[in-house]
Amino acid sequence: MLEIRQGKVIEILSHRDGLTEIRIDINGKEKKGICYDYLSGRVEVGDEVVVNTTATSLALGTGGYDFVINILGKDSELEAQGHIMKMRYTPYQIQTFSVEEQDSPYHERINNFHSLIETPVIAGTLHSMLVPITVMIKKKAPQARITYVMTDGAALPIQFSNIVHYLKKEEIIDNTITIGHSFGGDLEAVNIYSALIAAYEIQEADIIIVSMGPGIVGTGTKYGFTGVEQADILHATKVLGGRPIAVPRISFSDKRERHYGLSHHSRTNLGELALIRAKVGIPYLTQEKNSVLEQQLSDSEIINKHDIIYRKGKEVLEVLGELDFEVTTMGRRVEEEQEYFMAAGIAGIIASEELRKEDENGSKGEDS
């Protein structure tokens, strides 16, 4: 069920990348809302709007926002190309122009693809991993072209991400692709395979990062979380000839036992679901904390199934501390979740090291 209310826009709070943050009067109560130009058109003060209030009524983690479904009295018409629908067969289905379509100028390049030729592909789980991964890549390999592929495991509009907005504005991320039912990237793709191909063939990415947008879904059960997609991303990378790098989720601040040390998400994904070998970076920590991680890596069989690479993580924290952007995960800042951010940043360092190996051994084209 949807909870739908009608309200009036009383203030425009901000506008960026096709997303407008507004204040709405709903039955005499002021609430924050988001309107996507791509879905509902451009909203203005005084507009009467129909709003989805389901998540805020349930007190779910949408950032306290209601979402505009329709602006009353404003019709819209199709303008863009494309025949691939996302959110198909729902009242919210939208038209997109995917790289694979026969009318796409990239159709033949996608269709004739041969190999990623060992391009590093980093598979994350939480959206907040994106900042430490990318800033460390740029620190170690400033000229590297980075494509971020956003899956549909969480938020669907890429415009909802403050992280992506910041990283693109700072020219840390070069390009984006949205796949499945997520939308709004520089390119649209039907699935992870064609997205990886498009990142390599069209956007000429040196390193590709794949993870969901904000808002992972978890249930406290072994397999009931959207982060299980990490294993599928690693599989797709291997099939297409890339170099799979998996980001482990590590925390010694999370009060939930299942996430203490190496999260059960990582133990399930990398120890059980992943059928191929990947590189997994682990930070050097205190003897006590590393003992916990080593036991978890051993118990889950990750130590036997993957290449475990230890690196110092202090540099990651230093680089993050220089940003004019506050990085958090699950509401906790870098100083509260040092191990988490170090592990993510180390994945970026490992990917950069893979690029140096290519430079030392010759170009991708010469290797092929």
Side-chain angles (χ1 to χ4, degrees):
M1 291 291 293
L2 301 179
E3 181 180 271
I4 296 174
R5 296 286 184 267
Q6 185 172 332
K8 185 175 183 178
V9 178
I10 57 176
E11 185 180 359
I12 303 294
L13 299 176
S14 66
H15 180 80
R16 69 149 202 266
D17 302 334
L19 178 152
T20 306
E21 184 181 354
I22 58 178
R23 194 175 303 280
I24 316 167
D25 183 291
I26 302 177
N27 296 328
K29 183 178 180 181
E30 291 188 10
K31 303 185 71 177
K32 290 192 300 181
I34 284 178
C35 180
Y36 296 105
D37 296 359
Y38 196 82
L39 298 178
S40 307
R42 188 70 178 264
V43 71
E44 299 174 352
V45 171
D47 283 342
E48 296 286 340
V49 291
V50 178
V51 184
N52 184 332
T53 58
T54 308
T56 54
S57 290
L58 292 173
L60 299 180
T62 63
Y65 293 104
D66 294 322
F67 294 88
V68 173
I69 297 173
N70 185 41
I71 305 172
L72 296 178
K74 290 186 177 181
D75 295 332
S76 60
E77 296 181 0
L78 294 179
E79 295 180 359
Q81 295 175 292
H83 295 85
I84 302 300
M85 306 299 286
K86 297 197 176 189
M87 297 184 286
R88 292 181 284 277
Y89 303 104
T90 74
Y92 310 105
Q93 63 181 356
I94 58 172
Q95 168 206 31
T96 63
F97 192 27
S98 291
V99 291
E100 308 95 326
E101 292 194 49
Q102 290 187 345
D103 291 339
S104 167
Y106 310 119
H107 175 78
E108 289 304 317
R109 291 172 66 181
I110 299 295
N111 205 32
N112 295 328
F113 168 81
H114 175 63
S115 172
L116 293 176
I117 313 181
E118 298 192 332
T119 297
V121 178
I122 301 173
T125 51
L126 296 182
H127 190 62
S128 53
M129 292 174 172
L130 191 56
V131 176
I133 292 170
T134 54
V135 297
M136 292 313 298
I137 292 171
K138 286 297 187 182
K139 176 74 173 180
K140 299 295 184 179
Q143 303 305 315
R145 291 181 58 82
I146 301 174
T147 287
Y148 167 53
V149 177
M150 192 177 98
T151 72
D152 58 6
L156 299 184
I158 198 170
Q159 286 79 12
F160 186 69
S161 171
N162 292 325
I163 287 175
V164 171
H165 174 72
Y166 171 77
L167 293 175
K168 288 205 74 177
K169 178 173 66 74
E170 297 297 319
E171 299 182 344
I172 297 172
I173 287 178
D174 296 280
N175 294 290
T176 61
I177 302 175
T178 38
I179 69 172
H181 290 282
S182 69
F183 59 90
D186 296 320
L187 294 176
E188 304 283 357
V190 171
N191 58 42
I192 182 60
Y193 290 88
S194 47
L196 292 176
I197 294 169
Y200 178 79
E201 288 285 345
I202 301 168
Q203 297 177 337
E204 300 181 343
D206 296 306
I207 297 175
I208 305 167
I209 305 163
V210 188
S211 74
M212 67 184 70
I216 187 172
V217 173
T219 62
T221 60
K222 185 174 184 180
Y223 305 110
F225 61 100
T226 50
V228 293
E229 68 180 18
Q230 185 181 38
D232 297 327
I233 296 163
L234 295 172
H235 297 158
T237 300
K238 184 66 174 180
V239 167
L240 295 178
R243 295 183 182 182
I245 300 169
V247 186
R249 179 177 175 178
I250 297 174
S251 173
F252 288 92
S253 298
D254 200 309
K255 303 303 181 184
R256 296 168 293 180
E257 184 178 352
R258 66 183 185 273
H259 290 305
Y260 184 79
L262 185 66
S263 168
H264 81 99
H265 287 186
S266 295
R267 283 175 271 154
T268 297
N269 288 347
L270 304 179
E272 184 174 345
L273 301 182
L275 303 177
I276 59 92
R277 198 169 191 88
K279 295 183 184 296
V280 181
I282 301 292
Y284 286 116
L285 305 173
T286 64
Q287 183 176 352
E288 180 182 358
K289 289 179 178 179
N290 273 133
S291 294
V292 171
L293 294 178
E294 287 166 6
Q295 188 65 54
Q296 292 173 320
L297 289 168
S298 177
D299 290 345
S300 63
E301 294 292 326
I302 293 174
I303 198 168
N304 298 321
K305 295 183 66 174
H306 301 282
D307 298 323
I308 308 302
I309 301 171
Y310 282 87
R311 291 286 184 272
K312 294 179 180 179
K314 183 179 179 181
E315 183 182 10
V316 178
L317 304 181
E318 292 173 349
V319 173
L320 291 175
E322 294 170 358
L323 301 178
D324 59 351
F325 180 81
E326 184 177 30
V327 188
T328 63
T329 182
M330 301 296 175
R332 294 186 289 273
R333 298 185 299 276
V334 172
E335 55 268 28
E336 300 172 276
E337 280 285 14
Q338 293 187 12
E339 297 85 5
Y340 170 88
F341 288 103
M342 284 193 286
I346 287 169
I349 294 173
I350 292 171
S352 302
E353 292 171 349
E354 296 298 309
L355 286 186
R356 285 200 293 274
K357 289 178 185 176
E358 291 172 2
D359 291 339
E360 292 167 1
N361 297 329
S363 69
K364 293 178 183 179
E366 292 170 345
D367 287 342
S368 58

